[in-house]
Amino acid sequence: MLGVSVVVFAILRLVPGDPIAMMLPPGATEETRQNLERLYGMDKPLIEQYFIWLRDVLHLDFGMSTQFRLPVMEVIFNRLPVTLELVLLASIIALTLSFALSVLAVWIQRDGATLIIDGASGLTQAIPDFLWALIFIFFVTLYAPSIPISGRYDPRTAQDFITGFYLIEALITLRLGTFAELLRHAILPAFALALPLAASITRLLKSALEEAMSEDYAILARTKGKSRIAIILGEALRNALIPVIALTSVQLAFLIGGTVLIERLFSLPGIGSTAITAVVNRDLPLIQGVVLVFAALFIAINLISNGLYRLADPRLGKTDE
């Protein structure tokens, strides 16, 4: 996190452009400019600016957004739930599709089925998430205009949520009508994010399952009379998950980064679209805050994947005697 803070602070100061000039109205005086520089701490040497900012960050004070005129943390926490819910829904879709297709391919064990699934996975993986988003928007606009392609919910629907996690809160409080409405708005961006990830996991998991089915324990299970699907689900799947966890943890990091364009295309008020707006408006405090939050999410994903590694293979948690 310290390394990320140094890099993002330095790069933003090297990029051409004057964030103070973006805030000045036409005909502003030099005194007005100096007052803004003092307000945002930009009248001090860069090294001093960095250490002042770092001190404030350690107290969870990321400064004031020059664009929204609000504390950066307030802006981020108002928009972060949108991104996290989108990533969660996309992850569920991707894992469900990949597990179902991989198990089906290994279970059927026919060249035709394997060829179809491999071909579909390769094609799906070759198309980036933002292009899937454009494809969905195009076809929905032409053939299914009733499916929403913009916004998080219908503005005509009254919303009285306590938290920013609308989808999760609606499900927990059993407001199924509201949940269905929110899901209708989230399903297309979630699928656009999920499809490339699902293709990557499918290719790896299918190969890992095929390798596991040739191991001695799988052969022994067949001699005991177990069905092929029982061996796949009960014996092979757990061992095949180990490489999949490594891939998924890496891909989830890219998935979070992919929300930047997806949120923009579907007009979702998440942290990704906020990052684009901050870059366009040279909102340095907000850009720095968003980058640090993304870095924290990547670190959290890696820590969670390490824990899942140990659950999938308990031998990793044991030390040699």
Side-chain angles (χ1 to χ4, degrees):
M1 291 291 288
L2 182 63
V4 170
S5 72
V6 172
V7 171
V8 68
F9 190 91
I11 288 178
L12 289 179
R13 269 66 186 178
L14 294 174
V15 174
D18 186 356
I20 297 297
M22 300 285 290
M23 295 184 287
L24 290 174
T29 63
E30 183 63 25
E31 183 182 0
T32 303
R33 178 186 180 85
Q34 293 174 358
N35 289 336
L36 280 176
E37 287 180 345
R38 281 195 296 271
L39 177 63
Y40 290 98
M42 296 182 183
D43 58 334
K44 299 177 175 63
L46 287 181
I47 297 297
E48 187 177 351
Q49 286 184 41
Y50 171 74
F51 283 107
I52 291 174
W53 175 69
L54 184 61
R55 179 201 63 196
D56 293 339
V57 166
L58 293 176
H59 293 87
L60 298 181
D61 179 6
F62 285 74
M64 188 73 67
S65 168
T66 60
Q67 173 191 358
F68 295 99
R69 304 296 196 274
L70 292 170
V72 169
M73 288 302 291
E74 181 179 341
V75 175
I76 290 176
F77 281 129
N78 285 339
R79 289 159 173 76
L80 186 59
V82 181
T83 300
L84 293 181
E85 280 195 338
L86 179 60
V87 169
L88 177 61
L89 184 59
S91 301
I92 292 173
I93 293 172
L95 291 173
T96 302
L97 286 175
S98 59
F99 274 63
L101 291 175
S102 300
V103 170
L104 181 64
V106 177
W107 179 38
I108 294 177
Q109 202 181 10
R110 292 181 181 175
D111 293 339
T114 300
L115 184 62
I116 292 173
I117 291 175
D118 286 344
S121 298
L123 178 62
T124 304
Q125 190 176 5
I127 300 176
D129 48 23
F130 70 88
L131 188 53
W132 278 116
L134 293 174
I135 292 171
F136 289 157
I137 292 172
F138 175 76
F139 279 100
V140 165
T141 302
L142 288 180
Y143 303 110
S146 61
I147 300 177
I149 57 173
S150 177
R152 194 180 184 189
Y153 56 84
D154 190 337
R156 295 171 297 180
T157 305
Q159 306 296 334
D160 55 347
F161 293 101
I162 299 174
T163 68
F165 295 93
Y166 293 177
L167 197 63
I168 297 174
E169 185 177 337
L171 182 61
I172 292 175
T173 56
L174 299 180
R175 287 181 283 179
L176 301 183
T178 303
F179 176 78
E181 174 67 23
L182 292 168
L183 192 60
R184 286 179 65 246
H185 282 78
I187 197 67
L188 287 182
F191 260 102
L193 273 176
L195 288 179
L197 175 60
S200 299
I201 298 175
T202 299
R203 293 166 68 89
L204 180 61
L205 181 57
K206 188 175 75 66
S207 299
L209 281 173
E210 289 172 343
E211 183 178 349
M213 289 297 289
S214 64
E215 296 291 338
D216 292 340
Y217 62 84
I219 298 173
L220 179 61
R222 281 200 296 271
T223 61
K224 293 181 178 180
K226 286 188 176 183
S227 65
R228 184 171 181 83
I229 188 65
I231 297 172
I232 293 173
L233 297 178
E235 306 288 343
L237 185 58
R238 180 170 181 175
N239 291 310
L241 284 178
I242 296 175
V244 172
I245 292 172
L247 173 67
T248 304
S249 63
V250 173
Q251 291 296 326
L252 278 179
F254 288 108
L255 194 69
I256 294 174
T259 60
V260 173
L261 290 177
I262 297 299
E263 289 176 359
R264 193 71 170 183
L265 289 171
F266 287 96
S267 301
L268 294 173
I271 194 173
S273 59
T274 301
I276 293 180
T277 306
V279 171
V280 171
N281 291 279
R282 289 284 292 166
D283 190 341
L284 300 190
L286 185 54
I287 298 172
Q288 292 166 175
V290 168
V291 171
L292 285 183
V293 168
F294 273 128
L297 290 175
F298 296 159
I299 292 171
I301 289 171
N302 282 318
L303 291 175
I304 292 172
S305 67
N306 287 337
L308 293 176
Y309 252 110
R310 294 178 180 274
L311 289 176
D313 189 354
R315 293 171 300 177
L316 296 175
K318 298 178 179 179
T319 56
D320 295 333
E321 294 181 0

